[in-house]
Amino acid sequence: MKARVTVTLKNGVLDPQGKAIEGALGGLGFDGVASVRQGKVFDVEMRHTEAAAAQAELAEICEKLLANTVIEDYAIELM
Amino acid sequence: MKARVTVTLKNGVLDPQGKAIEGALGGLGFDGVASVRQGKVFDVEMRHTEAAAAQAELAEICEKLLANTVIEDYAIELM
């Protein structure tokens, strides 16, 4: 079973990478962009065949390793 | 208009970050994970109100800045 985990910064948390991209886009002449925030995505192949078991293990993995829940949110999408 | 751009490594391209996460998960006792591949996600706020214009500018931005199209694929999702 495949899953995609998306980890993004919470609102209000400063995102220097996103700001750097905004600056670079301005320099390249892309005027249509108002703001950019960068996050991470993990494509995970699970051995579980049951969605509930996969979801539960992924949530624990996010809490313990993939996301810093003080400043980041995570979303799990089973495919 | 908001958009989400997801940049992932093409199949066959080595992903040391993903391998490191797999190793760490094994060490933490998460046996349900077969493989992990890491990518990047960009949440972009566009000034465009037309979807076609936003999509076109984002595709150009991906080609020029956000993705290395030799080794990475990108997907644009308007929201």
Side-chain angles (χ1 to χ4, degrees):
Chain A
M1 172 169 277
K2 282 175 193 257
R4 171 163 281 185
V5 175
T6 310
V7 176
T8 50
L9 285 170
K10 285 184 199 279
N11 283 334
V13 177
L14 211 67
D15 178 9
Q17 275 188 298
K19 288 286 168 211
I21 294 166
E22 283 173 29
L25 288 175
L28 288 169
F30 292 108
D31 304 322
V33 175
S35 77
V36 180
R37 286 179 75 78
Q38 186 173 354
K40 289 172 281 189
V41 65
F42 304 93
D43 287 322
V44 185
E45 178 78 46
M46 305 290 290
R47 292 203 181 86
H48 299 282
T49 49
E50 291 159 47
Q55 175 91 28
E57 184 162 9
L58 280 170
E60 211 184 326
I61 287 171
C62 287
E63 295 281 341
K64 286 208 179 148
L65 188 75
L66 298 183
N68 174 353
T69 53
V70 177
I71 57 167
E72 290 172 328
D73 290 321
Y74 63 84
I76 297 165
E77 189 189 346
L78 296 173
M79 292 186 277
Chain B
M1 172 170 274
K2 282 174 193 257
R4 171 164 280 184
V5 175
T6 310
V7 176
T8 50
L9 285 169
K10 284 183 199 280
N11 283 335
V13 177
L14 211 67
D15 178 11
Q17 275 188 299
K19 287 286 168 211
I21 294 166
E22 283 173 28
L25 289 174
L28 288 169
F30 291 108
D31 303 323
V33 175
S35 76
V36 180
R37 284 179 76 78
Q38 187 173 354
K40 287 171 281 187
V41 64
F42 303 92
D43 287 322
V44 184
E45 177 79 45
M46 305 289 291
R47 293 203 180 86
H48 298 282
T49 49
E50 291 159 47
Q55 176 92 27
E57 184 162 8
L58 280 170
E60 212 185 325
I61 286 171
C62 287
E63 295 282 341
K64 287 209 178 145
L65 188 75
L66 298 183
N68 174 353
T69 54
V70 177
I71 57 166
E72 291 172 328
D73 289 321
Y74 62 85
I76 297 165
E77 189 189 345
L78 295 173
M79 292 187 278

